Amino acid sequence: SLDHQLAARHGSLVSGRVVPMPEGDTLHRTAARLRPALVDQDVVAFEAPRLAGEGVPTGATVLDVRAVGKHLFVDFDTGQSLETHLGMPGSWHLARRGERWRRPRRDMRALVVVAEWEAICFLAPVVRLRRSSGPTVRPEHLGPDLCLADIDIELVLARLARFSDTETEIGSALLDQRIAAGIGNVYKCEVLAEVGVDPFAPVVSVPAQDRRRLYETAARLLRANLSTDRRVTFEGGVAVYGRAGRPCRRCGTTVEVSRQGEQNRSTWWCPQCQPISTVS
């Protein structure tokens, strides 16, 4: 089939298997795959059934497809930009004109049709049409996108201090897109494991050098997976994510899992490799 499923289904468990939700690398790969099909093409049809107000007019030209953290933008020469956030259930697909979709039409949240291709966004909880487009348009609340080169780590660390209080756990802070954009649950767990930090330690108890290493490691791993279809963070796979009850791939200790934070997200960690941090 010429249909490319550009993001996986995102439940916590599918057939007993942990399935990761889309993270920054997923969105950048999605943009890279949509871009050749859409950019410089004129819009033949546009639909966004839950979008209030006007849509993108027929004849508008697609200028760019880009990712900012976990958000994807399709920019048009009309000064409009379609923004989607996939959340847990969302995905983008690409199909040849007239080809059968992989999901029913009722799941469609946005559709951009050009001469040869149909780009379909399914089940995304957030679909917006902004009135201005271009590389400077991005969600105002997001921190630096760790998938990009030359990230200002000092800015990230300053935002970590700004958006954390004495009770904020480092695992929850890593998921806070206001601090840095792109880290999801997989990278949260894997980065904490690689740096050797207890996910439940308060941010203030994590040594400054480890805070820096966490975000530097996250940026390195995210960028390393921008051109791969199978996410790899440790020796061909993952070190701790989804491995509860199985041995840690570093030391052999049994990996544990607990819920964490206001969103009650699962956190996998190795109690041997990730001792509680203390202020240096």
Side-chain angles (χ1 to χ4, degrees):
S1 169
L2 288 170
D3 181 70
H4 301 287
Q5 183 170 350
L6 301 180
R9 293 293 305 280
H10 315 298
S12 58
L13 287 172
V14 176
S15 301
R17 177 172 60 92
V18 177
V19 178
M21 67 180 292
E23 307 195 19
D25 56 349
T26 310
L27 273 297
H28 279 264
R29 289 195 301 270
T30 298
R33 293 173 183 172
L34 289 175
R35 199 174 292 122
L38 298 183
V39 170
D40 295 329
Q41 299 296 308
D42 293 339
V43 174
V44 174
F46 175 88
E47 296 181 42
R50 300 188 179 186
L51 191 65
E54 64 178 308
V56 176
T58 299
T61 300
V62 179
L63 297 179
D64 197 8
V65 182
R66 56 194 171 85
V68 180
K70 298 182 183 182
H71 298 248
L72 187 132
F73 291 85
V74 181
D75 298 329
F76 304 92
D77 67 350
T78 55
Q80 297 167 296
S81 187
L82 174 68
E83 175 191 355
T84 58
H85 188 289
L86 299 182
M88 292 290 287
S91 60
W92 273 94
H93 295 241
L94 189 65
R96 289 282 188 184
R97 291 281 302 278
E99 185 180 17
R100 184 176 179 179
W101 294 356
R102 294 250 182 120
R103 298 193 62 87
R105 175 169 277 273
R106 66 176 176 271
D107 291 344
M108 184 264 287
R109 298 294 180 265
L111 171 66
V112 179
V113 182
V114 297
E116 297 184 9
W117 296 95
E118 297 177 334
I120 315 107
C121 182
F122 291 111
L123 297 175
V126 176
V127 178
R128 301 188 184 101
L129 191 61
R130 293 174 175 262
R131 284 302 308 168
S132 60
S133 61
T136 60
V137 175
R138 63 194 308 277
E140 294 80 5
H141 68 282
L142 292 183
D145 186 344
L146 296 179
C147 289
L148 302 178
D150 301 323
I151 291 299
D152 185 348
I153 293 294
E154 296 301 332
L155 175 59
V156 172
L157 295 174
R159 294 176 74 89
L160 175 63
R162 173 185 173 188
F163 291 112
S164 302
D165 58 33
T166 56
E167 304 298 322
T168 303
E169 296 174 345
I170 188 63
S172 296
L174 287 172
L175 290 179
D176 191 337
Q177 302 299 295
R178 298 173 301 174
I179 297 169
I183 300 175
N185 217 35
V186 177
Y187 286 103
K188 174 197 75 176
C189 298
E190 293 297 292
V191 166
L192 286 163
E194 178 160 332
V195 180
V197 173
D198 176 6
F200 306 96
V203 171
V204 293
S205 76
V206 178
Q209 67 269 23
D210 285 348
R211 296 179 215 170
R212 176 181 295 274
R213 287 180 61 208
L214 286 169
Y215 286 99
E216 289 175 342
T217 301
R220 173 174 56 80
L221 292 178
L222 280 161
R223 290 197 291 268
N225 283 280
L226 289 180
S227 59
T228 61
D229 290 325
R230 180 173 179 266
R231 184 180 290 147
V232 174
T233 59
F234 180 79
E235 294 184 357
V238 293
V240 294
Y241 181 85
R243 293 181 57 80
R246 300 168 68 186
C248 168
R249 285 181 164 151
R250 288 186 172 84
C251 73
T253 300
T254 300
V255 173
E256 298 186 13
V257 62
S258 295
R259 296 287 186 172
Q260 182 176 28
E262 293 182 0
Q263 296 180 334
N264 202 31
R265 302 293 299 279
S266 294
T267 296
W268 288 265
W269 85 101
C270 172
Q272 175 66 31
C273 294
Q274 298 170 257
I276 295 176
S277 298
T278 57
V279 178
S280 58

